[in-house]
Amino acid sequence: MKKLVNLPDAVVDEMVEGYAAAFPQYVTISPDNHRALVRAVAPPPGKVGIVVGGGSGHEPAFMGVIGKGMADGVPVGNIFASPPPLPIVTVTKAVDAGAGVLYMYGNYAGDCMNFDMAAELADMEGIRVETVRVTDDVCSAPAAERDRRRGIAGGFLAFKAAGAAADLGYSLDEVVRIASKANDHIRTMGVALSPCYNPQTGRPSFMLGDDEMEIGLGIHGEPGVERGTVQPADETADALFDTIVADMPLAGRDRVAVLVNGLGSTTRMELLIMFRRIERRLRQIGVTIHRSYVGEFVTSLEMGGCSVTLMKLDDELAQMIDHPADTPMFVQV
């Protein structure tokens, strides 16, 4: 393992300090908690606050999307670990503008427990909090048990929809409705080619042979559904696409947003080759790509591989996806 770090146990705090120093026009660290990041400019009165979060190591998620049209604040956890309740509450109080706050995060046990505890503490402060958990990973549970599925890269599009609704001045109930609708219309599947190494342990997140790949593996190294010999990009893309479409059928005249997400060490060249195949498969069944995203949105340190996300759109969701956003690591005009 080779990494540009100082003390392994200081990597998250030093990353947060560097992030706030690099983008002071966007974010600031709360004086009440060094793991609580909020927008540099307070949200206007009456705006619903959007709080997203999770463990570190997924950059640009989650702190990279603080800004207009996206998140208002992010509590930062340790590497691949949920933030504890106190920074979540600190962020909640900072972004509350009188209209309530929406929590959004991946459906993991630690996140569910800590964000729920924070919501109870916020309620004691008189702040209404609602929650939408992201459950886009088709490999993590059967379709009949979607509430058990993990949240992975598709969370970016769910955050995008919720952030747009809040930016447009919608009520908390309406923001929750749109966030839930977005999550219901998103499916993701990933493939891993190589592990990542946690700088605090120096150990790989999982083991793969030099000629192996794993289909359906989670962003923390959770087991996938199939391990085998590395396949060409087209065959790999087909495996992801076919599983997603089996879970969320698409037909002619449907519209989708497509996200091809790198997991940390996959080149843009490879991601574009994967997108090329996904675009072709969608065109073959008459589905229109309304908007495309190719790059790193939810990573796993330096893990090799990628994920494919499809979001089925109607007019309302298309409006949310098209809404402008301005954050340190994602800008859309």
Side-chain angles (χ1 to χ4, degrees), residues 233-238 241 272-282 284:
D234 283 357
E235 283 81 349
T236 303
D238 285 346
F241 180 86
L272 289 168
I273 292 171
M274 290 288 288
F275 179 85
R276 165 186 172 273
R277 181 62 173 181
I278 298 299
E279 187 276 336
R280 183 168 298 180
R281 291 295 308 276
L282 288 167
Q284 287 172 348

Side-chain angles (χ1 to χ4, degrees), residues 49-54 62 70-71 73-75 101-107 111 115 129-135 154-163 175-176 178-183 186:
I50 303 294
V51 174
V52 305
F62 299 90
M70 293 288 284
V74 171
V101 174
L102 173 63
Y103 289 169
M104 296 189 74
Y105 51 87
N107 188 33
D111 289 300
F115 275 90
V129 172
E130 298 291 341
T131 296
V132 174
R133 299 184 179 105
V134 178
T135 55
F156 169 79
L157 296 178
F159 302 159
K160 177 76 184 63
V175 174
V176 169
I178 287 174
S180 300
K181 179 180 177 180
N183 183 59
I186 294 171

Side-chain angles (χ1 to χ4, degrees), residues 204-219:
S205 52
F206 57 91
M207 300 297 293
L208 274 178
D210 289 342
D211 63 344
E212 287 186 314
M213 65 192 303
E214 185 158 358
I215 297 286
L217 187 127
I219 57 174

Side-chain angles (χ1 to χ4, degrees), residues 194-195 262-268 270 296 299-305:
S194 62
L263 295 179
S265 66
T266 306
T267 63
R268 189 64 63 95
E270 295 163 85
E296 292 184 341
T299 64
S300 300
L301 294 171
E302 77 275 34
M303 189 183 291

Side-chain angles (χ1 to χ4, degrees), residues 5 36 55 70 90 97 122 162 184 224 234 246 257 267 294 306 308:
V5 302
M70 293 288 284
T90 300
D184 289 344
D234 283 357
T267 63
V294 180
C306 73
V308 171

Side-chain angles (χ1 to χ4, degrees), residues 82-97:
S82 170
L86 287 182
I88 303 173
V89 173
T90 300
V91 169
T92 304
K93 293 165 67 174
V95 306
D96 175 44

